PDB file of all heavy atoms in Angstrom:
ATOM      1  N   GLY A 213     101.406  88.240 -94.874  1.00 95.00           N
ATOM      2  CA  GLY A 213     100.444  87.423 -95.601  1.00 95.00           C
ATOM      3  C   GLY A 213      99.182  87.201 -94.785  1.00 95.00           C
ATOM      4  O   GLY A 213      99.084  87.641 -93.627  1.00 95.00           O
ATOM      5  N   ASP A 215      98.217  84.725 -93.290  1.00 96.00           N
ATOM      6  CA  ASP A 215      98.466  83.961 -92.064  1.00 96.00           C
ATOM      7  C   ASP A 215      98.908  84.859 -90.911  1.00 96.00           C
ATOM      8  O   ASP A 215      99.015  84.427 -89.770  1.00 96.00           O
ATOM      9  CB  ASP A 215      99.523  82.869 -92.310  1.00 96.00           C
ATOM     10  CG  ASP A 215     100.797  83.410 -92.960  1.00 96.00           C
ATOM     11  OD1 ASP A 215     101.053  84.629 -92.850  1.00 96.00           O
ATOM     12  OD2 ASP A 215     101.541  82.635 -93.578  1.00 96.00           O
ATOM     13  N   VAL A 217     101.709  85.971 -90.171  1.00 92.00           N
ATOM     14  CA  VAL A 217     103.024  85.642 -89.609  1.00 92.00           C
ATOM     15  C   VAL A 217     104.130  85.840 -90.638  1.00 92.00           C
ATOM     16  O   VAL A 217     105.146  86.480 -90.382  1.00 92.00           O
ATOM     17  CB  VAL A 217     103.066  84.159 -89.123  1.00 92.00           C
ATOM     18  CG1 VAL A 217     104.423  83.836 -88.521  1.00 92.00           C
ATOM     19  CG2 VAL A 217     101.953  83.877 -88.135  1.00 92.00           C
ATOM     20  N   ASN A 218     103.905  85.283 -91.834  1.00 92.00           N
ATOM     21  CA  ASN A 218     104.948  85.312 -92.858  1.00 92.00           C
ATOM     22  C   ASN A 218     104.763  86.471 -93.820  1.00 92.00           C
ATOM     23  O   ASN A 218     103.667  87.015 -93.962  1.00 92.00           O
ATOM     24  CB  ASN A 218     104.913  84.003 -93.660  1.00 92.00           C
ATOM     25  CG  ASN A 218     105.248  82.816 -92.793  1.00 92.00           C
ATOM     26  OD1 ASN A 218     106.358  82.705 -92.290  1.00 92.00           O
ATOM     27  ND2 ASN A 218     104.271  81.937 -92.584  1.00 92.00           N
ATOM     28  N   LYS A 219     105.835  86.785 -94.503  1.00 88.00           N
ATOM     29  CA  LYS A 219     105.813  87.763 -95.579  1.00 88.00           C
ATOM     30  C   LYS A 219     104.789  87.291 -96.620  1.00 88.00           C
ATOM     31  O   LYS A 219     104.641  86.078 -96.821  1.00 88.00           O
ATOM     32  CB  LYS A 219     107.221  87.706 -96.189  1.00 88.00           C
ATOM     33  CG  LYS A 219     107.648  88.869 -96.981  1.00 88.00           C
ATOM     34  CD  LYS A 219     109.113  88.669 -97.325  1.00 88.00           C
ATOM     35  CE  LYS A 219     109.372  89.310 -98.670  1.00 88.00           C
ATOM     36  NZ  LYS A 219     110.749  89.280 -99.072  1.00 88.00           N
ATOM     37  N   MET A 220     104.089  88.234 -97.267  1.00 91.00           N
ATOM     38  CA  MET A 220     103.139  87.812 -98.310  1.00 91.00           C
ATOM     39  C   MET A 220     103.943  87.195 -99.458  1.00 91.00           C
ATOM     40  O   MET A 220     104.862  87.818 -99.979  1.00 91.00           O
ATOM     41  CB  MET A 220     102.326  89.008 -98.792  1.00 91.00           C
ATOM     42  CG  MET A 220     101.062  88.608 -99.493  1.00 91.00           C
ATOM     43  SD  MET A 220      99.951  89.979 -99.854  1.00 91.00           S
ATOM     44  CE  MET A 220      98.939  90.078 -98.399  1.00 91.00           C
ATOM     45  N   SER A 221     103.617  85.949 -99.798  1.00 87.00           N
ATOM     46  CA  SER A 221     104.424  85.269-100.804  1.00 87.00           C
ATOM     47  C   SER A 221     103.591  84.228-101.550  1.00 87.00           C
ATOM     48  O   SER A 221     102.820  83.474-100.940  1.00 87.00           O
ATOM     49  CB  SER A 221     105.624  84.612-100.091  1.00 87.00           C
ATOM     50  OG  SER A 221     105.989  83.423-100.719  1.00 87.00           O
ATOM     51  N   LYS A 222     103.801  84.230-102.878  1.00 85.00           N
ATOM     52  CA  LYS A 222     103.060  83.308-103.740  1.00 85.00           C
ATOM     53  C   LYS A 222     103.281  81.858-103.296  1.00 85.00           C
ATOM     54  O   LYS A 222     102.355  81.070-103.228  1.00 85.00           O
ATOM     55  CB  LYS A 222     103.560  83.500-105.174  1.00 85.00           C
ATOM     56  CG  LYS A 222     102.556  83.135-106.213  1.00 85.00           C
ATOM     57  CD  LYS A 222     102.917  83.693-107.555  1.00 85.00           C
ATOM     58  CE  LYS A 222     104.232  83.119-108.052  1.00 85.00           C
ATOM     59  NZ  LYS A 222     104.493  83.324-109.466  1.00 85.00           N
ATOM     60  N   SER A 223     104.548  81.545-102.968  1.00 82.00           N
ATOM     61  CA  SER A 223     104.854  80.147-102.632  1.00 82.00           C
ATOM     62  C   SER A 223     104.188  79.724-101.321  1.00 82.00           C
ATOM     63  O   SER A 223     103.974  78.546-101.091  1.00 82.00           O
ATOM     64  CB  SER A 223     106.362  79.929-102.571  1.00 82.00           C
ATOM     65  OG  SER A 223     106.912  80.814-101.632  1.00 82.00           O
ATOM     66  N   LEU A 224     103.854  80.693-100.471  1.00 90.00           N
ATOM     67  CA  LEU A 224     103.203  80.334 -99.201  1.00 90.00           C
ATOM     68  C   LEU A 224     101.674  80.373 -99.314  1.00 90.00           C
ATOM     69  O   LEU A 224     100.973  80.090 -98.338  1.00 90.00           O
ATOM     70  CB  LEU A 224     103.662  81.271 -98.084  1.00 90.00           C
ATOM     71  CG  LEU A 224     105.143  81.200 -97.715  1.00 90.00           C
ATOM     72  CD1 LEU A 224     105.505  82.290 -96.715  1.00 90.00           C
ATOM     73  CD2 LEU A 224     105.479  79.832 -97.128  1.00 90.00           C
ATOM     74  N   ASP A 225     101.175  80.747-100.497  1.00 93.00           N
ATOM     75  CA  ASP A 225      99.739  80.790-100.750  1.00 93.00           C
ATOM     76  C   ASP A 225      99.005  81.641 -99.696  1.00 93.00           C
ATOM     77  O   ASP A 225      97.978  81.233 -99.149  1.00 93.00           O
ATOM     78  CB  ASP A 225      99.194  79.333-100.753  1.00 93.00           C
ATOM     79  CG  ASP A 225      97.788  79.266-101.339  1.00 93.00           C
ATOM     80  OD1 ASP A 225      97.416  80.207-102.052  1.00 93.00           O
ATOM     81  OD2 ASP A 225      97.063  78.293-101.041  1.00 93.00           O
ATOM     82  N   ASN A 226      99.559  82.798 -99.407  1.00 96.00           N
ATOM     83  CA  ASN A 226      98.944  83.664 -98.388  1.00 96.00           C
ATOM     84  C   ASN A 226      98.731  85.097 -98.913  1.00 96.00           C
ATOM     85  O   ASN A 226      98.838  86.061 -98.169  1.00 96.00           O
ATOM     86  CB  ASN A 226      99.827  83.681 -97.123  1.00 96.00           C
ATOM     87  CG  ASN A 226     101.191  84.296 -97.381  1.00 96.00           C
ATOM     88  OD1 ASN A 226     101.480  84.732 -98.496  1.00 96.00           O
ATOM     89  ND2 ASN A 226     102.040  84.346 -96.372  1.00 96.00           N
ATOM     90  N   CYS A 227      98.457  85.180-100.237  1.00 96.00           N
ATOM     91  CA  CYS A 227      98.427  86.506-100.887  1.00 96.00           C
ATOM     92  C   CYS A 227      97.022  86.963-101.264  1.00 96.00           C
ATOM     93  O   CYS A 227      96.166  86.152-101.592  1.00 96.00           O
ATOM     94  CB  CYS A 227      99.191  86.482-102.209  1.00 96.00           C
ATOM     95  SG  CYS A 227     100.841  85.910-102.085  1.00 96.00           S
ATOM     96  N   TYR A 229      95.958  89.017-104.465  1.00 95.00           N
ATOM     97  CA  TYR A 229      96.579  89.483-105.708  1.00 95.00           C
ATOM     98  C   TYR A 229      95.931  90.784-106.186  1.00 95.00           C
ATOM     99  O   TYR A 229      94.757  91.025-105.919  1.00 95.00           O
ATOM    100  CB  TYR A 229      96.470  88.408-106.791  1.00 95.00           C
ATOM    101  CG  TYR A 229      97.353  87.216-106.486  1.00 95.00           C
ATOM    102  CD1 TYR A 229      96.820  86.046-105.972  1.00 95.00           C
ATOM    103  CD2 TYR A 229      98.728  87.293-106.682  1.00 95.00           C
ATOM    104  CE1 TYR A 229      97.637  84.966-105.655  1.00 95.00           C
ATOM    105  CE2 TYR A 229      99.547  86.221-106.367  1.00 95.00           C
ATOM    106  CZ  TYR A 229      99.002  85.057-105.850  1.00 95.00           C
ATOM    107  OH  TYR A 229      99.814  84.010-105.534  1.00 95.00           O
TER     108      TYR A 229
END
Side-chain angles (χ1 to χ4, degrees):
D215 52 22
V217 181
N218 296 295
K219 200 173 148 176
M220 199 171 271
S221 147
K222 206 164 63 165
S223 57
L224 295 173
D225 194 20
N226 64 1
C227 305
Y229 290 102

